[in-house]
């Protein structure tokens, strides 16, 4: 008998697994300008070409659209005793789709202001909308209305 010691052989068994990452479709509209003001007198046409900015981010390779629509038919006064209103269709918007032209807002239907037929850049696309109005003969006041922006994948 010999005095040799042998170490036990280690056994190994291997197998594989597949790692899956399921990525959903995402779109966000962020950094929307919270408020803007166009100021002037009756008869003045007042324009702000950079009134509203926003950022749209999506991973949809087909792209997206951005629309805006008033939530009410009129801009309403802040002074309670003032019964004047400004029809929302007097307020006009210009976005990348309009290429410098202005179109009236429509309380009955959204106006498309941007369209891109591919996904956004990684940090999101910055979009600017201009606004214009010819101020009608109404009482001095601040007339306000809410505009609903929507970003939708194609």
């Amino acid at each position: 008998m010999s005095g040799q010691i042998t170490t036990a052989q280690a056994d190994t068994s291997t197998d594989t697994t597949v790692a899956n990452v399921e990525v959903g479709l995402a779109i966000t509209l962020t950094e929307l300008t919270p408020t803007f003001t166009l100021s002037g007198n009756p008869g003045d046409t007042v324009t702000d070409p950079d009134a509203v900015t926003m950022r749209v981010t999506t991973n949809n390779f087909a792209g997206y659209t951005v629309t805006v629509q008033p939530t009410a038919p009129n801009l309403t006064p802040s002074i309670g005793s003032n019964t004047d209103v400004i029809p929302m269709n007097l307020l006009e918007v210009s976005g990348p789709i309009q290429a410098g032209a202005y179109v009236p807002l429509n309380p009955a239907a959204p106006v498309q202001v941007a369209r891109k037929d591919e996904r956004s850049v990684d940090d999101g696309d910055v979009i600017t909308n201009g606004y214009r109005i010819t101020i009608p003969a109404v009482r001095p006041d601040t007339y306000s209305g809410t505009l609903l922006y929507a970003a939708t994948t194609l």
Side-chain angles (χ1 to χ4, degrees):
M1 213 159 121
S2 141
Q4 287 184 325
I5 300 176
T6 57
T7 34
Q9 295 283 355
D11 286 335
T12 302
S13 179
T14 62
D15 202 351
T16 61
T17 188
V18 175
N20 295 298
V21 177
E22 187 173 320
V23 178
L25 179 63
I27 188 165
T28 59
L29 187 151
T30 58
E31 301 174 32
L32 182 65
T33 301
T35 184
F36 67 94
T37 302
L38 300 173
S39 300
N41 295 315
D44 290 350
T45 299
V46 184
T47 304
D48 182 347
D50 302 315
V52 173
T53 59
M54 69 208 81
R55 184 179 303 269
V56 175
T57 308
T58 184
N59 63 343
N60 183 23
F61 278 86
Y64 63 88
T65 63
V66 177
T67 59
V68 61
Q69 182 176 8
T71 60
N74 297 309
L75 295 160
T76 56
S78 62
I79 299 171
S81 60
N82 182 357
T83 57
D84 289 347
V85 296
I86 298 175
M88 202 52 98
N89 64 356
L90 294 181
L91 186 59
E92 298 175 311
V93 63
S94 179
I97 290 283
Q98 287 74 31
Y102 284 85
V103 298
L105 292 178
N106 184 348
V111 174
Q112 190 175 105
V113 292
R115 179 185 175 106
K116 187 173 182 183
D117 293 327
E118 60 187 358
R119 71 180 195 153
S120 67
V121 297
D122 289 344
D123 292 338
D125 298 331
V126 176
I127 298 167
T128 301
N129 286 176
Y131 279 88
R132 174 174 79 184
I133 191 167
T134 299
I135 299 174
V138 292
R139 295 178 198 167
D141 201 340
T142 299
Y143 296 81
S144 301
T146 301
L147 305 179
L148 176 64
Y149 274 87
T152 307
T153 58
L154 295 175

Coordinates of all heavy atoms in Angstrom, one line a residue, residues 6-67:
T6 N -4.8 11.4 -3.1 CA -5.3 12.1 -4.3 C -6.5 12.9 -3.9 O -7.3 12.6 -3.1 CB -5.7 11.1 -5.4 OG1 -6.7 10.2 -4.8 CG2 -4.5 10.3 -5.8
T7 N -6.6 14.1 -4.6 CA -7.7 15.0 -4.3 C -8.9 14.6 -5.2 O -8.7 14.0 -6.3 CB -7.3 16.4 -4.7 OG1 -6.5 16.5 -5.8 CG2 -6.8 17.2 -3.5
A8 N -10.0 14.8 -4.7 CA -11.2 14.4 -5.4 C -11.4 15.4 -6.6 O -11.1 16.6 -6.5 CB -12.4 14.5 -4.5
Q9 N -11.8 14.8 -7.7 CA -12.1 15.6 -8.9 C -13.4 16.4 -8.7 O -14.4 15.9 -8.3 CB -12.2 14.7 -10.1 CG -10.9 14.0 -10.5 CD -9.9 14.9 -11.2 OE1 -10.2 16.1 -11.5 NE2 -8.7 14.4 -11.4
A10 N -13.4 17.7 -9.0 CA -14.6 18.5 -9.0 C -15.5 18.2 -10.2 O -14.9 18.1 -11.3 CB -14.3 20.0 -8.9
D11 N -16.7 18.1 -10.0 CA -17.7 17.9 -11.1 C -18.3 19.3 -11.5 O -18.5 20.1 -10.6 CB -18.8 17.0 -10.8 CG -18.3 15.5 -10.7 OD1 -17.3 15.2 -11.4 OD2 -18.9 14.7 -10.0
T12 N -18.5 19.5 -12.8 CA -19.2 20.7 -13.3 C -20.3 20.3 -14.2 O -20.1 19.4 -15.0 CB -18.1 21.6 -14.0 OG1 -17.1 21.9 -13.1 CG2 -18.8 22.9 -14.5
S13 N -21.4 21.1 -14.1 CA -22.5 20.9 -15.0 C -22.9 22.3 -15.4 O -23.1 23.2 -14.6 CB -23.6 20.1 -14.3 OG -24.7 20.0 -15.2
T14 N -23.1 22.5 -16.7 CA -23.6 23.8 -17.2 C -24.8 23.7 -18.0 O -25.2 22.7 -18.5 CB -22.5 24.5 -18.1 OG1 -22.3 23.7 -19.2 CG2 -21.2 24.6 -17.3
D15 N -25.5 24.8 -18.1 CA -26.7 25.0 -18.9 C -26.8 26.5 -19.2 O -26.1 27.3 -18.7 CB -27.9 24.4 -18.1 CG -29.1 24.0 -19.1 OD1 -29.0 24.3 -20.3 OD2 -30.1 23.4 -18.6
T16 N -27.8 26.8 -20.0 CA -28.0 28.2 -20.4 C -29.4 28.7 -20.1 O -30.3 27.9 -20.0 CB -27.6 28.5 -21.9 OG1 -28.5 27.7 -22.7 CG2 -26.2 28.1 -22.2
T17 N -29.6 30.0 -20.1 CA -30.9 30.6 -20.0 C -30.9 31.8 -20.9 O -29.8 32.3 -21.3 CB -31.3 31.0 -18.6 OG1 -32.7 31.4 -18.6 CG2 -30.4 32.1 -18.1
V18 N -32.0 32.2 -21.4 CA -32.2 33.3 -22.3 C -32.7 34.5 -21.5 O -33.8 34.4 -20.9 CB -33.1 33.0 -23.5 CG1 -33.3 34.2 -24.4 CG2 -32.5 31.9 -24.3
A19 N -32.0 35.6 -21.6 CA -32.5 36.9 -20.9 C -33.3 37.6 -21.9 O -32.9 37.9 -23.1 CB -31.4 37.7 -20.4
N20 N -34.5 38.0 -21.6 CA -35.4 38.8 -22.5 C -35.7 40.1 -21.8 O -36.0 40.1 -20.6 CB -36.7 38.0 -22.7 CG -36.5 36.7 -23.5 OD1 -36.1 36.7 -24.6 ND2 -36.9 35.6 -22.8
V21 N -35.7 41.1 -22.6 CA -36.1 42.5 -22.2 C -37.2 42.9 -23.1 O -36.9 43.2 -24.3 CB -34.9 43.5 -22.2 CG1 -35.4 44.8 -21.8 CG2 -33.8 43.0 -21.3
E22 N -38.4 43.0 -22.6 CA -39.5 43.4 -23.4 C -39.7 44.9 -23.2 O -39.9 45.4 -22.1 CB -40.8 42.6 -23.0 CG -42.0 42.9 -23.9 CD -43.2 42.0 -23.6 OE1 -43.0 40.8 -23.3 OE2 -44.3 42.6 -23.6
V23 N -39.6 45.6 -24.3 CA -39.7 47.1 -24.3 C -41.1 47.5 -24.9 O -41.4 47.1 -26.0 CB -38.6 47.7 -25.1 CG1 -38.7 49.2 -25.1 CG2 -37.2 47.3 -24.6
G24 N -41.8 48.2 -24.1 CA -43.1 48.7 -24.5 C -43.0 50.0 -25.3 O -42.0 50.6 -25.4
L25 N -44.1 50.3 -26.0 CA -44.2 51.6 -26.7 C -44.4 52.7 -25.7 O -45.3 52.6 -24.8 CB -45.4 51.5 -27.7 CG -45.7 52.7 -28.5 CD1 -44.5 53.0 -29.4 CD2 -46.9 52.5 -29.3
A26 N -43.7 53.8 -25.8 CA -43.8 54.9 -24.9 C -43.8 56.2 -25.6 O -43.1 56.4 -26.7 CB -42.6 54.8 -23.9
I27 N -44.6 57.1 -25.1 CA -44.6 58.5 -25.6 C -44.9 59.4 -24.4 O -45.7 59.1 -23.6 CB -45.5 58.7 -26.8 CG1 -45.3 60.1 -27.4 CG2 -47.0 58.5 -26.4 CD1 -46.0 60.3 -28.7
T28 N -44.1 60.5 -24.3 CA -44.4 61.5 -23.3 C -44.3 62.9 -23.9 O -43.5 63.1 -24.8 CB -43.4 61.4 -22.1 OG1 -42.0 61.6 -22.7 CG2 -43.5 60.1 -21.4
L29 N -45.2 63.7 -23.4 CA -45.2 65.1 -23.7 C -44.8 65.9 -22.4 O -45.6 65.7 -21.4 CB -46.5 65.6 -24.3 CG -46.6 67.0 -24.8 CD1 -47.6 67.1 -25.9 CD2 -46.9 68.0 -23.7
T30 N -43.7 66.5 -22.3 CA -43.3 67.2 -21.1 C -42.8 68.6 -21.4 O -42.7 69.0 -22.5 CB -42.1 66.4 -20.5 OG1 -41.0 66.3 -21.4 CG2 -42.5 65.0 -20.0
E31 N -42.6 69.3 -20.3 CA -42.0 70.7 -20.4 C -42.9 71.6 -21.2 O -42.4 72.6 -21.8 CB -40.6 70.7 -20.9 CG -39.6 69.8 -20.1 CD -38.3 69.7 -20.7 OE1 -37.8 70.6 -21.4 OE2 -37.6 68.6 -20.5
L32 N -44.2 71.4 -21.2 CA -45.1 72.2 -21.9 C -45.2 73.6 -21.2 O -45.4 73.6 -19.9 CB -46.5 71.6 -21.9 CG -47.6 72.4 -22.7 CD1 -47.3 72.5 -24.2 CD2 -49.0 71.7 -22.5
T33 N -45.1 74.7 -21.9 CA -45.2 76.0 -21.3 C -46.5 76.1 -20.6 O -47.6 75.8 -21.2 CB -45.2 77.1 -22.5 OG1 -43.9 76.9 -23.2 CG2 -45.3 78.5 -21.9
P34 N -46.5 76.5 -19.3 CA -47.8 76.4 -18.5 C -48.8 77.6 -18.9 O -50.0 77.4 -18.7 CB -47.3 76.6 -17.1 CG -45.9 77.2 -17.2 CD -45.4 76.8 -18.5
T35 N -48.3 78.7 -19.4 CA -49.1 79.8 -19.7 C -48.4 80.8 -20.6 O -47.2 80.8 -20.6 CB -49.6 80.5 -18.4 OG1 -50.5 81.6 -18.7 CG2 -48.5 81.1 -17.6
F36 N -49.2 81.5 -21.4 CA -48.6 82.6 -22.2 C -49.6 83.7 -22.3 O -50.8 83.4 -22.1 CB -48.2 82.1 -23.6 CG -49.3 81.6 -24.5 CD1 -49.8 82.5 -25.4 CD2 -49.7 80.3 -24.5 CE1 -50.8 82.1 -26.3 CE2 -50.8 79.9 -25.3 CZ -51.3 80.8 -26.2
T37 N -49.2 84.9 -22.6 CA -50.1 86.0 -22.7 C -49.8 86.8 -24.0 O -48.6 87.1 -24.3 CB -49.9 87.0 -21.5 OG1 -50.1 86.2 -20.3 CG2 -50.8 88.2 -21.6
L38 N -50.8 87.1 -24.7 CA -50.7 88.0 -25.9 C -51.4 89.3 -25.5 O -52.6 89.3 -25.0 CB -51.4 87.4 -27.1 CG -50.9 86.1 -27.6 CD1 -51.8 85.5 -28.7 CD2 -49.5 86.2 -28.1
S39 N -50.7 90.4 -25.5 CA -51.3 91.7 -25.0 C -51.4 92.7 -26.2 O -50.5 92.8 -27.0 CB -50.3 92.3 -24.0 OG -50.2 91.4 -22.9
G40 N -52.5 93.5 -26.2 CA -52.7 94.5 -27.1 C -54.0 95.2 -26.9 O -54.7 94.9 -26.0
N41 N -54.4 96.0 -27.9 CA -55.6 96.8 -27.9 C -56.5 96.3 -29.0 O -56.1 95.6 -29.9 CB -55.3 98.3 -28.1 CG -54.5 98.9 -26.9 OD1 -54.8 98.6 -25.8 ND2 -53.5 99.6 -27.3
P42 N -57.8 96.6 -28.9 CA -58.8 96.1 -29.9 C -58.3 96.6 -31.3 O -57.8 97.7 -31.5 CB -60.1 96.8 -29.5 CG -60.0 96.9 -28.0 CD -58.6 97.2 -27.8
G43 N -58.3 95.7 -32.2 CA -57.8 95.9 -33.6 C -56.4 95.5 -33.8 O -56.0 95.4 -35.0
D44 N -55.6 95.4 -32.8 CA -54.2 95.0 -32.9 C -54.1 93.5 -33.3 O -54.9 92.7 -32.7 CB -53.4 95.2 -31.6 CG -53.2 96.6 -31.2 OD1 -53.4 97.5 -32.1 OD2 -52.7 96.9 -30.1
T45 N -53.2 93.2 -34.1 CA -52.8 91.8 -34.4 C -51.5 91.5 -33.6 O -50.5 92.1 -33.9 CB -52.6 91.5 -35.9 OG1 -53.9 91.7 -36.5 CG2 -52.2 90.0 -36.1
V46 N -51.6 90.6 -32.6 CA -50.5 90.4 -31.7 C -50.0 89.0 -31.9 O -50.8 88.0 -32.0 CB -51.0 90.5 -30.2 CG1 -49.8 90.3 -29.3 CG2 -51.7 91.8 -30.0
T47 N -48.7 88.8 -32.1 CA -48.1 87.6 -32.4 C -46.9 87.3 -31.5 O -46.1 88.2 -31.2 CB -47.5 87.6 -33.9 OG1 -48.6 87.9 -34.8 CG2 -47.0 86.2 -34.3
D48 N -46.9 86.0 -31.0 CA -45.7 85.5 -30.3 C -45.3 84.2 -31.0 O -45.9 83.2 -30.8 CB -46.0 85.3 -28.8 CG -44.8 84.8 -28.0 OD1 -43.7 84.5 -28.6 OD2 -44.9 84.8 -26.8
P49 N -44.2 84.3 -31.8 CA -43.8 83.1 -32.6 C -43.2 81.9 -31.7 O -43.1 80.8 -32.1 CB -42.8 83.6 -33.5 CG -42.2 84.8 -32.9 CD -43.4 85.4 -32.1
D50 N -42.9 82.2 -30.4 CA -42.3 81.2 -29.5 C -43.2 81.1 -28.3 O -42.6 80.9 -27.2 CB -40.9 81.7 -29.2 CG -40.0 81.8 -30.4 OD1 -40.1 80.9 -31.2 OD2 -39.3 82.8 -30.5
A51 N -44.5 81.3 -28.3 CA -45.3 81.3 -27.2 C -45.3 80.0 -26.4 O -45.3 80.0 -25.1 CB -46.8 81.6 -27.6
V52 N -45.2 78.9 -27.0 CA -45.3 77.6 -26.4 C -44.2 76.7 -26.8 O -44.0 76.5 -28.0 CB -46.7 76.9 -26.6 CG1 -46.8 75.5 -26.0 CG2 -47.8 77.8 -26.0
T53 N -43.6 76.0 -25.9 CA -42.6 75.0 -26.2 C -42.9 73.7 -25.4 O -43.6 73.8 -24.4 CB -41.1 75.4 -25.9 OG1 -41.0 75.7 -24.6 CG2 -40.7 76.6 -26.8
M54 N -42.5 72.6 -26.0 CA -42.7 71.3 -25.3 C -41.7 70.3 -25.8 O -41.0 70.6 -26.7 CB -44.1 70.8 -25.7 CG -44.3 70.4 -27.1 SD -45.9 70.5 -27.8 CE -46.0 72.2 -28.2
R55 N -41.6 69.2 -25.1 CA -40.6 68.2 -25.5 C -41.4 66.9 -25.7 O -42.2 66.5 -24.8 CB -39.6 68.0 -24.4 CG -38.5 67.0 -24.8 CD -37.4 66.8 -23.7 NE -36.8 68.1 -23.4 CZ -35.7 68.6 -24.0 NH1 -35.1 67.9 -24.9 NH2 -35.2 69.8 -23.6
V56 N -41.3 66.2 -26.8 CA -41.9 64.9 -27.1 C -40.8 63.9 -27.2 O -39.9 64.0 -28.0 CB -42.8 65.0 -28.4 CG1 -43.3 63.6 -28.7 CG2 -43.9 66.0 -28.3
T57 N -41.0 62.8 -26.4 CA -40.1 61.7 -26.4 C -40.8 60.4 -26.7 O -41.8 60.1 -26.0 CB -39.4 61.6 -25.1 OG1 -38.8 62.8 -24.7 CG2 -38.3 60.5 -25.1
T58 N -40.4 59.7 -27.7 CA -41.0 58.4 -28.0 C -40.0 57.4 -28.6 O -39.0 57.9 -29.3 CB -42.2 58.5 -29.0 OG1 -42.8 57.2 -29.2 CG2 -41.8 59.1 -30.3
N59 N -40.2 56.1 -28.4 CA -39.4 55.1 -29.0 C -40.1 54.5 -30.2 O -39.6 53.5 -30.8 CB -39.0 54.0 -28.0 CG -40.2 53.3 -27.5 OD1 -41.4 53.7 -27.6 ND2 -40.0 52.2 -26.8
N60 N -41.2 55.0 -30.6 CA -42.0 54.5 -31.8 C -41.3 54.9 -33.1 O -41.2 56.1 -33.4 CB -43.4 55.0 -31.7 CG -44.3 54.4 -32.8 OD1 -44.0 53.4 -33.3 ND2 -45.3 55.1 -33.2
F61 N -40.8 53.9 -33.8 CA -40.1 54.1 -35.1 C -41.0 54.7 -36.1 O -40.5 55.3 -37.1 CB -39.4 52.9 -35.5 CG -38.0 52.7 -34.8 CD1 -38.0 52.1 -33.6 CD2 -36.9 53.2 -35.4 CE1 -36.8 51.9 -33.0 CE2 -35.7 53.1 -34.8 CZ -35.6 52.4 -33.5
A62 N -42.3 54.6 -36.0 CA -43.3 55.1 -37.0 C -43.4 56.6 -36.8 O -43.9 57.3 -37.7 CB -44.6 54.4 -36.9
G63 N -43.1 57.1 -35.6 CA -43.2 58.5 -35.3 C -44.4 58.9 -34.4 O -45.0 58.1 -33.8
Y64 N -44.8 60.2 -34.5 CA -45.8 60.8 -33.7 C -46.4 62.0 -34.3 O -45.9 62.6 -35.2 CB -45.3 61.1 -32.3 CG -44.2 62.2 -32.3 CD1 -44.5 63.5 -32.2 CD2 -42.8 61.8 -32.5 CE1 -43.5 64.5 -32.3 CE2 -41.9 62.8 -32.5 CZ -42.2 64.1 -32.4 OH -41.2 65.1 -32.4
T65 N -47.6 62.4 -33.7 CA -48.2 63.7 -34.1 C -48.4 64.5 -32.8 O -48.5 63.8 -31.7 CB -49.5 63.6 -34.8 OG1 -50.4 62.9 -33.9 CG2 -49.4 62.8 -36.1
V66 N -48.5 65.8 -32.9 CA -48.9 66.6 -31.7 C -50.1 67.5 -32.2 O -50.0 68.1 -33.3 CB -47.7 67.5 -31.3 CG1 -48.2 68.4 -30.1 CG2 -46.6 66.7 -30.8
T67 N -51.1 67.5 -31.4 CA -52.3 68.3 -31.7 C -52.6 69.2 -30.5 O -52.2 69.0 -29.4 CB -53.5 67.4 -32.0 OG1 -53.8 66.6 -30.8 CG2 -53.4 66.5 -33.2

